Amino acid sequence: MSNLKIGLFGYGCVGQGLYEVLLKSKNIKAEISSICVKQKNKKRNIDTSIFSYNKWDILNNPDIDVVVELIDDAEEAFSIVSESLKRGKAVVTANKKMIAENFRALIQLQETYQTPVLYEAAVCGSIPIIRTLEEYYNTDYIQNISGIFNGTSNYILTQTQQQGKNYEEALHAAKIAGFAESNPTLDVEGFDSKFKLTILLNHTFGLSVLPKQVLNSGIQNLNKTDTLFATRFGYQIKLLAQAYKTDKGVAAFVLPHLLRNTHSFFHIYNEFNAVQVEGIFNNKQLLTGKGAGGFPTAAAVISDLSSLIKNYKYPYNKLKQNDLHLDNSETIAIYLRYNKKEIMNQLKFEKIYSQFEQENHTYCIGEISIKEIIKADINKNKEVFIASIELPLYQGSDLPVKTEQILSIH
Ligand SMILES: NC(=O)c1ccc[n+]([C@@H]2O[C@H](COP(=O)([O-])OP(=O)(O)OC[C@H]3O[C@@H](n4cnc5c(N)ncnc54)[C@H](OP(=O)(O)O)[C@@H]3O)[C@@H](O)[C@H]2O)c1
């Protein structure tokens, strides 16, 4: 493929970023022929003759070889991507929800119509993780992948821990800075990170699951007592997506995580993202960069376009080889802050290391299986904050804190 003619869907944050970045990119032979958007009466910052309001104008245009899908509607996006592939038009998309929910169908469509879909921009914006997993990690056996996949949540957490803001103040600051949308649910409750993790499970372990099978809980219920607890014991709270091999398969979940200053993610602040991959032979490797925003995301789209010119498609070798299953029986260490004691009856802990009860801060540290947390449907409970935690606790010196010491800190 050479000199690509692009049909672009969406001219929002990323679509506009792509338009500008493409004008400045001298090394790629590609031009946007037409842009399909939704609202006819919306003001645009470029000549409106390039816009169309009917998807079939692009889909049925034989001169267009590539569809770049950058809309904010996952269902319609899947329809656009499917119709493009059926017509032999290669696709580049940034829509993580659409990809995560339709992964198997997308593989099938690519096979049937022998036309590729690339989506580096869908996971951690400018960080080149998907091709790294497909190409560089094609031979090493990955044991563990984890990351800060959501810039909005990381920005909020940085504000609470570095600026002393409470959650609402930090969320407000994130909206003012342009990092949080008016409805930030998908970001702060861990769904956005989960869509990305679900996609990466395919590329890391060859494991295909639906997002609804994977545990997620976010930072929406974080309060000052949680931040205080973290600071007191030298932790940073980060919203992490994690997946690792267990004896029975692969454990995967998205939870806030209390991590220590020896952890690679300790100093990843504000809107930055990071991904750490641990292979048997490579040991740990860390990639970090901007996970969102018009230009960083557009840069990943351009990189995919340039790969298409070289006839690149994902080999999906791990998917072809693997028979791994999701292991929700895996036990993890958690910090649970709660108000009502009933939650302790709902959650079946395997071990409890400590329980502390005071008027404004009641918490428990213990071990519990992922499936028990899923069963308790924790996201519905506004009075609970749950985080995975690195144990043992350390206070001040390097000496681990014993249970009775923990109970007497407040
Ligand atoms: N923003 C980021 O930093 C970022 C990062 C990584 C991935 N992504 C992903 O990239 C995609 C786009 O995000 P965004 O932030 O650019 O969204 P956005 O700013 O909300 O823009 C959405 C665009 O999609 C258009 N649109 C919506 N429904 C459409 C339809 N049915 N047909 C044609 N056009 C339609 C809208 O048209 P109108 O202009 O007419 O309203 C608008 O131009 C999403 O999947 C998002 O998850 C975003």
Side-chain angles (χ1 to χ4, degrees), residues 103-121:
F103 200 88
R104 279 281 161 193
L106 289 172
I107 299 275
Q108 193 61 54
L109 282 162
Q110 291 180 79
E111 272 172 22
T112 307
Y113 298 101
Q114 288 298 301
T115 309
V117 185
L118 301 183
Y119 41 84
E120 193 65 74

Side-chain angles (χ1 to χ4, degrees), residues 11-14 38-39 42 44 71-72 94-96 292-293 297:
Y11 191 70
C13 173
V14 186
K38 198 172 178 183
Q39 305 176 69
K42 198 164 163 182
R44 309 287 170 184
I71 72 170
D72 56 348
N95 203 318
K96 51 243 164 183
T297 312

Side-chain angles (χ1 to χ4, degrees), residues 299-348:
V301 172
I302 300 248
S303 177
D304 278 350
L305 289 170
S306 130
S307 296
L308 280 181
I309 292 173
K310 293 178 220 147
N311 291 319
Y312 181 77
K313 55 183 184 187
Y314 298 132
Y316 293 117
N317 284 338
K318 296 181 193 115
L319 268 184
K320 287 167 199 157
Q321 290 160 7
N322 232 321
D323 56 352
L324 285 170
H325 299 283
L326 188 64
D327 178 14
N328 278 338
S329 68
E330 171 71 358
T331 297
I332 57 175
I334 63 161
Y335 158 89
L336 174 80
R337 191 254 309 143
Y338 56 97
N339 272 9
K340 296 195 177 116
K341 278 189 184 159
E342 295 88 81
I343 189 75
M344 291 303 289
N345 300 329
Q346 274 172 335
L347 285 165
K348 303 267 176 287

Side-chain angles (χ1 to χ4, degrees), residues 8-16 35-44 51-55 69-74 76-77 80 93-98 121-126 181 192 196 291-298:
L8 173 62
F9 282 86
Y11 191 70
C13 173
V14 186
Q16 291 182 42
I35 306 174
C36 179
V37 285
K38 198 172 178 183
Q39 305 176 69
K40 266 192 183 159
N41 299 326
K42 198 164 163 182
K43 243 185 143 194
R44 309 287 170 184
F51 289 103
S52 147
Y53 307 93
N54 179 348
K55 65 181 175 182
E69 182 285 301
L70 300 173
I71 72 170
D72 56 348
D73 171 344
E76 183 57 13
I80 290 165
T93 172
N95 203 318
K96 51 243 164 183
K97 184 170 192 286
M98 182 275 290
V123 182
C124 299
S126 65
E181 293 177 24
D192 174 81
K196 294 167 180 169
F295 288 163
T297 312

Side-chain angles (χ1 to χ4, degrees), residues 127-391:
I127 301 176
I129 183 62
I130 297 178
R131 256 176 289 149
T132 302
L133 290 170
E134 282 293 319
E135 301 298 328
Y136 183 83
Y137 283 104
N138 195 26
T139 48
D140 196 359
Y141 295 99
I142 300 171
Q143 293 299 103
N144 191 322
I145 187 161
S146 57
I148 295 174
F149 290 176
N150 186 265
T152 306
S153 303
N154 206 39
Y155 185 86
I156 292 170
L157 289 169
T158 306
Q159 293 287 310
T160 59
Q161 290 163 111
Q162 287 189 345
Q163 309 293 328
K165 292 188 166 80
N166 66 32
Y167 175 77
E168 282 72 25
E169 291 164 345
L171 174 60
H172 182 67
K175 285 182 181 170
I176 302 281
F179 296 127
E181 293 177 24
S182 51
N183 178 1
T185 308
L186 290 183
D187 291 324
V188 298
E189 295 191 8
F191 289 95
D192 174 81
S193 299
K194 178 163 84 164
F195 296 140
K196 294 167 180 169
L197 182 65
T198 307
I199 296 170
L200 290 191
L201 286 175
N202 292 278
H203 296 281
T204 311
F205 300 111
L207 173 64
S208 272
V209 295
L210 288 170
K212 66 179 180 201
Q213 295 172 262
V214 177
L215 167 67
N216 69 292
S217 189
I219 59 166
Q220 71 278 11
N221 296 340
L222 178 83
N223 74 17
K224 283 252 177 191
T225 60
D226 306 315
T227 314
L228 252 159
F229 174 89
T231 309
R232 182 153 212 160
F233 288 105
Y235 290 112
Q236 284 272 332
I237 305 175
K238 305 283 184 190
L239 182 62
L240 293 198
Q242 307 187 54
Y244 52 86
K245 277 197 183 148
T246 66
D247 293 343
K248 295 183 194 143
V250 175
F253 53 94
V254 174
L255 284 178
H257 186 76
L258 289 153
L259 51 85
R260 258 194 272 284
N261 63 2
T262 46
H263 198 290
S264 319
F265 298 147
F266 193 87
H267 295 295
I268 308 291
Y269 296 121
N270 292 312
E271 75 274 27
F272 279 83
N273 281 196
V275 187
Q276 182 168 275
V277 182
E278 199 172 342
I280 290 183
F281 309 115
N282 292 3
N283 210 327
K284 288 179 186 169
Q285 291 182 327
L286 180 71
L287 289 102
T288 175
K290 291 210 169 175
F295 288 163
T297 312
V301 172
I302 300 248
S303 177
D304 278 350
L305 289 170
S306 130
S307 296
L308 280 181
I309 292 173
K310 293 178 220 147
N311 291 319
Y312 181 77
K313 55 183 184 187
Y314 298 132
Y316 293 117
N317 284 338
K318 296 181 193 115
L319 268 184
K320 287 167 199 157
Q321 290 160 7
N322 232 321
D323 56 352
L324 285 170
H325 299 283
L326 188 64
D327 178 14
N328 278 338
S329 68
E330 171 71 358
T331 297
I332 57 175
I334 63 161
Y335 158 89
L336 174 80
R337 191 254 309 143
Y338 56 97
N339 272 9
K340 296 195 177 116
K341 278 189 184 159
E342 295 88 81
I343 189 75
M344 291 303 289
N345 300 329
Q346 274 172 335
L347 285 165
K348 303 267 176 287
F349 277 84
E350 290 186 11
K351 273 184 208 159
I352 292 184
Y353 296 118
S354 73
Q355 235 175 318
F356 179 81
E357 285 181 27
Q358 210 185 40
E359 206 181 323
N360 67 344
H361 192 199
T362 304
Y363 72 82
C364 155
I365 292 173
E367 286 190 14
I368 188 167
S369 72
I370 297 167
K371 68 171 181 254
E372 284 298 331
I373 308 175
I374 294 176
K375 228 198 270 173
D377 210 357
I378 216 91
N379 281 334
K380 289 210 177 117
N381 194 330
K382 300 272 169 245
E383 290 166 345
V384 163
F385 177 74
I386 186 166
S388 51
I389 185 167
E390 281 184 54
L391 292 176

